[in-house]
Amino acid sequence: MLNVSEVNAERSSEPLPERASARFSEMLISPYVKERLEAGRFTTATPVQAAAIPQALEGKDVLATAQTGTGKTLAFLIPVIERLLKDKTPGIAALVLVPTRELAMQVVQQYNALRGKQLLPAALVVGGLSEGAQLQAIRKGARLVVATPGRLEDYLDRRLFHFNALRILILDEADRMLDMGFLPAIKRIVSILPKERQTMCFSATMEGHMTRIVKDYLRNAVRLSFGSTSKPSENVRVQAFEVAMDRKQEMLQRLLAKETGKCLVFARTKRGTERIAESLNRKGFSAAMIHGDRSQSQRTSALTGFQQGRFRVLVATDLASRGIHVQDIAHVINYDLPEVAENFIHRVGRTGRNGGHGVASTLFVKEQRSELFHLERSLGIKIERMRADETSSLPDKKDRNPVNLPAFPDRKPVNLPGVESAPVPERFVLPGEVFQTQLEN
């Protein structure tokens, strides 16, 4: 594995515009996968896809950091599908570990939409769903397992199946899994996997225990970094409204009335989520809600209804800040400030995805001015302050333009021990400015 004392990183900070604009039809992938992508209306690869897929197809380990909404799921599913098509050895060949049930379900949905008739469906291994159905999918020959660490470890402890044929391990949203306390479970799972395998790690940040992941699980990894992962996307207009506590509901309704697209509203507590959703429905807004006390069927119904447009508004706790991947969310509204500054980035990252534009609004009361200021300082951003009477000046969707948010000059880049990564400038990195570093023993 990575020897921290012997890492020798070859740097390259040159823009790679040809990769940023790659078309799937021009990539070295099989005709079958190209046909499946075309059927799914995937034509142009995002920068993370254009850079990661060729490296992964060569069998290299990949360590990629990028903001949410940049197409990371397809960046690892395409190499997985190519491997499964070429290697017909029976058994589970690929494992994707993710932090939440919702994200696992969406990865399976994406895979099943692309696999066509030549591959069997993926097996979903998560809590809150029928154990029998999950095990049946594996016994029928599923070669891809998408799992949350807790439920997977439970199955492995009971020796219900094994990973003797595993060839690829993907850690998706690895930083979130570590934040949720899954590091011990991940360590125990990885310890029983074959040593000779390809490992890909995708993360929004590269902080904290991510060092352990890099040191212990990646070998000679290609390091890919796309822009700043600690700041909102430049495609999102970030603004804040100071309002009186008893006027927050009214302000929320004004913002929703101005926006015609899908809106995601974040509250800090489960009870707050329920109050907001109930109030919005009484006022004629079609709203669903997701929080930790909702059953899996309720959460799935709410998310599916939001995706399909039956609900225009989804009210959620931070459970949804990283576990929901819904296209075309026009507006994210922080009804409550997040408890952790990093969650602000993940909330905002639900809009302005895949090159689109969006708005992120935050509501705060006078007593929270210092809290908002500390959030800005922690993230190195500046949030545009708006007056409550300025909702009429919110840009319509067709008029939105990217907003450059200035970073504080004393904001220091995060140094990952044992890894020399390409420097990220203080300004926002444009989509074509992909940095690669080859990590070597």
Side-chain angles (χ1 to χ4, degrees):
M1 296 299 174
L2 253 176
N3 186 329
V4 177
S5 63
E6 296 180 359
V7 170
N8 177 23
E10 296 177 359
R11 296 173 178 237
S12 174
S13 58
E14 294 297 320
L16 301 176
E18 72 281 4
R19 289 190 175 184
S21 59
R23 296 178 66 85
F24 289 116
S25 60
E26 301 168 350
M27 298 177 72
L28 296 178
I29 54 181
S30 65
Y32 177 80
V33 174
K34 288 180 180 179
E35 289 176 6
R36 298 304 306 156
L37 290 168
E38 185 178 355
R41 298 183 180 179
F42 293 104
T43 56
T44 303
T46 66
V48 68
Q49 294 163 359
I53 290 172
Q55 303 290 347
L57 289 175
E58 292 181 13
K60 297 178 182 177
D61 284 8
V62 173
L63 172 63
T65 53
Q67 292 173 331
T68 56
T70 52
K72 289 180 284 186
T73 302
L74 212 58
F76 64 75
L77 280 183
I78 289 176
V80 165
I81 292 173
E82 291 284 9
R83 173 68 71 93
L84 298 182
L85 289 170
K86 292 177 182 177
D87 184 355
K88 302 293 186 179
T89 304
I92 301 169
L95 169 64
V96 180
L97 287 178
V98 298
T100 67
R101 285 176 282 182
E102 283 73 21
L103 182 54
M105 293 166 70
Q106 291 182 46
V107 172
V108 168
Q109 182 182 35
Q110 180 75 84
Y111 170 80
N112 286 336
L114 287 175
R115 65 181 174 83
K117 297 181 179 180
Q118 292 192 25
L119 297 173
L120 291 170
L124 179 67
V125 174
V126 297
L129 296 177
S130 167
E131 180 177 301
Q134 296 177 35
L135 294 174
Q136 185 178 27
I138 295 173
R139 290 164 183 157
K140 284 185 175 180
R143 304 188 62 222
L144 169 65
V145 170
V146 182
T148 51
R151 175 50 67 93
L152 179 60
E153 188 178 27
D154 173 52
Y155 284 1
L156 294 176
D157 286 344
R158 292 153 58 191
R159 299 185 179 182
L160 297 177
F161 53 85
H162 59 76
F163 286 112
N164 295 347
L166 190 87
R167 296 292 179 265
I168 303 177
L169 168 66
I170 294 104
L171 302 173
D172 189 21
E173 300 209 0
D175 54 339
R176 178 61 170 163
M177 285 195 285
L178 301 187
D179 289 344
M180 294 172 68
F182 283 132
L183 180 58
I186 293 172
K187 289 174 65 176
R188 289 189 289 267
I189 291 168
V190 175
S191 70
I192 66 172
L193 301 181
K195 302 301 181 185
E196 293 300 318
R197 66 173 189 271
Q198 179 183 15
T199 302
M200 290 182 272
C201 180
F202 293 81
S203 176
T205 62
M206 195 56 65
E207 299 178 357
H209 290 298
M210 283 300 299
T211 305
R212 300 283 298 275
I213 297 291
V214 172
K215 182 180 73 172
D216 296 341
Y217 305 144
L218 297 173
R219 298 179 301 177
N220 302 327
V222 175
R223 171 76 164 94
L224 304 173
S225 179
F226 300 83
S228 171
T229 57
S230 62
K231 295 179 176 66
S233 166
E234 62 177 2
N235 289 350
V236 180
R237 175 176 177 173
V238 183
Q239 57 193 16
F241 296 86
E242 182 177 318
V243 296
M245 181 62 75
D246 60 357
R247 303 292 296 275
K248 288 181 73 175
Q249 280 279 358
E250 176 188 341
M251 187 66 192
L252 172 62
Q253 292 165 23
R254 289 172 61 185
L255 290 170
L256 292 175
K258 174 63 180 177
E259 178 60 66
T260 58
K262 295 177 184 174
C263 296
L264 183 55
V265 179
F266 284 104
R268 183 174 286 192
T269 67
K270 300 170 187 176
R271 181 57 189 145
T273 300
E274 294 174 353
R275 283 198 303 267
I276 294 168
E278 290 167 0
S279 175
L280 291 176
N281 281 308
R282 285 196 302 269
K283 295 294 183 179
F285 296 94
S286 57
M289 59 180 167
I290 289 181
H291 59 67
D293 284 347
R294 304 283 282 175
S295 69
Q296 187 59 52
S297 62
Q298 289 173 321
R299 288 157 64 170
T300 301
S301 176
L303 180 56
T304 302
F306 186 55
Q307 289 173 321
Q308 296 177 351
R310 295 199 305 272
F311 303 111
R312 190 170 75 84
V313 183
L314 182 64
V315 188
T317 58
D318 279 309
L319 168 76
S321 66
R322 302 274 295 266
I324 288 182
H325 296 273
V326 176
Q327 297 301 321
D328 301 324
I329 294 178
H331 201 163
V332 169
I333 300 174
N334 296 307
Y335 187 87
D336 298 318
L337 290 173
E339 293 188 51
V340 180
E342 184 187 62
N343 285 345
F344 181 85
I345 301 301
H346 302 310
R347 290 179 176 189
V348 171
R350 300 304 97 195
T351 188
R353 298 167 68 86
N354 294 323
H357 299 278
V359 175
S361 299
T362 298
L363 308 185
F364 69 102
V365 297
K366 180 179 179 180
E367 293 75 18
Q368 293 177 314
R369 288 177 180 174
S370 61
E371 188 176 346
L372 187 63
F373 173 75
H374 287 306
L375 183 147
E376 291 176 300
R377 291 289 295 178
S378 175
L379 299 175
I381 64 174
K382 182 65 178 176
I383 300 173
E384 183 181 5
R385 301 299 195 274
M386 306 285 285
R387 295 193 308 273
D389 59 358
E390 290 180 318
T391 54
S392 60
S393 67
L394 290 177
D396 291 327
K397 190 170 185 178
K398 64 179 185 299
D399 297 325
R400 290 180 196 146
N401 292 311
V403 176
N404 288 321
L405 304 176
F408 287 94
D410 59 348
R411 175 76 169 169
K412 302 298 184 184
V414 175
N415 293 318
L416 183 63
V419 177
E420 293 185 43
S421 58
V424 177
E426 286 294 319
R427 65 178 176 80
F428 285 100
V429 178
L430 298 176
E433 296 177 282
V434 182
F435 297 98
Q436 291 190 88
T437 301
Q438 177 73 35
L439 307 181
E440 300 182 346
N441 279 332

